[in-house]
């Protein structure tokens, strides 16, 4: 019980700071990718901030691992957290765990709670799409035979990939771009599943409660 309380207190204290840190991480990465002609000094400064923020994510993971007292089993039970530490741009995918927590711990339909999950998932989809667009643009725009030559092209590709539509008019040609594409497709299915699953759960529970409240027939 003390271990769970310790983890809960740590998460409450670090949730907002780490969220702001993730936004700053994404901002620094975006500037480094999109700002052409940036001086070497600014490039080094942004890189230093990026590594500092990454170290915060690593410290958070290690602290939560220590508070859990689960040993190596913690890594197996929290694979997504480990992946997010290695690839901070995938932090939006953590919203899927929030959805699972809501689905398993709340037996009654609560519109505000499910609406919050939908809002988190939608915002996470936007952040993941933006991060994926940046990464693919960085890897693709100078590659031979690339069809993604502008950031606008990359955003269009990210939207079609994240929703798993895949028009095929613009495709990555580099190994990095294709790796990101796989992650984007998987992330898109996970986030869209969180939205549709949360909404469906709320609707089903609402109708179930209404049926329970109806008086029995003659």
């Amino acid at each position: 019980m003390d271990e769970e309380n310790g983890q809960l207190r740590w998460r409450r204290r670090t949730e907002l700071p780490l969220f702001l840190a993730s936004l700053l991480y994404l901002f620094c990465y975006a500037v480094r990718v999109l700002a052409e002609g940036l001086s070497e000094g600014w490039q080094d400064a942004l890189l230093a901030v990026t590594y500092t923020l990454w170290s915060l994510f690593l410290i958070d993971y290690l602290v939560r691992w220590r508070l859990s007292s689960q040993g190596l089993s913690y890594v197996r039970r929290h694979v997504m957290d480990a992946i997010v530490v290695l690839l901070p741009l995938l932090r939006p995918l953590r919203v899927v765990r929030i959805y699972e927590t809501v689905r398993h711990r709340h037996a009654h339909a609560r519109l505000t709670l499910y609406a919050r999950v939908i809002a988190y998932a939608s915002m996470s989809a936007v952040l993941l799409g933006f991060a994926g667009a940046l990464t693919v643009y960085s890897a693709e725009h100078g590659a031979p035979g690339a069809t993604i030559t502008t950031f606008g092209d990359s955003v269009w590709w990210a939207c079609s990939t994240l929703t798993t539509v895949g028009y095929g008019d613009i495709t990555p040609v580099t190994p990095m771009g294709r790796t990101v594409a796989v992650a984007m497709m998987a992330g898109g299915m996970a986030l869209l599943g969180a939205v549709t699953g949360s909404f469906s759960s709320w609707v089903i529970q609402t109708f179930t409660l209404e049926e329970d409240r109806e008086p029995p027939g003659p």
Side-chain angles (χ1 to χ4, degrees), residues 128-184:
L128 182 62
F130 182 64
L134 285 172
T135 305
V136 168
Y137 173 70
S138 176
E140 292 285 322
H141 73 282
T147 58
I148 301 176
T149 57
T150 67
F151 185 63
D153 293 337
S154 186
V155 171
W156 167 251
W157 169 86
C159 291
S160 61
T161 302
L162 195 61
T163 56
T164 66
V165 174
Y167 288 107
D169 55 340
I170 298 177
T171 57
V173 297
T174 65
M176 173 61 74
R178 291 176 176 176
T179 301
V180 173
V182 173
M184 291 276 287

Side-chain angles (χ1 to χ4, degrees), residues 34-110:
L34 299 178
E36 299 180 358
L38 199 63
S39 66
E40 185 176 351
W42 277 109
Q43 289 278 3
D44 293 339
L46 292 172
L47 188 61
V49 173
T50 301
Y51 279 124
T52 301
L53 295 172
W54 181 83
S55 66
L56 294 179
F57 303 144
L58 178 60
I59 291 172
D60 171 65
Y61 178 80
L62 294 177
V63 170
R64 286 188 284 111
W65 186 356
R66 177 67 178 84
L67 291 174
S68 69
S69 300
Q70 296 177 2
L72 293 178
S73 63
Y74 179 86
V75 180
R76 296 194 300 270
R77 296 177 182 177
H78 300 81
V79 176
M80 179 58 66
D81 290 342
I83 294 175
V84 165
V85 171
L86 297 176
L87 300 171
L89 291 178
L90 296 181
R91 285 185 68 84
L93 292 180
R94 293 184 64 187
V95 75
V96 177
R97 189 180 65 183
I98 298 176
Y99 163 69
E100 290 295 329
T101 301
V102 171
R103 188 168 64 90
H104 286 98
R105 293 188 180 182
H106 296 275
H108 301 289
R110 298 174 58 184

Side-chain angles (χ1 to χ4, degrees), residues 95 113-125 195 198:
V95 75
L113 186 61
Y114 284 109
R116 191 184 311 164
V117 173
I118 293 173
Y120 286 166
S122 300
M123 181 181 64
S124 297
V195 173
S198 182

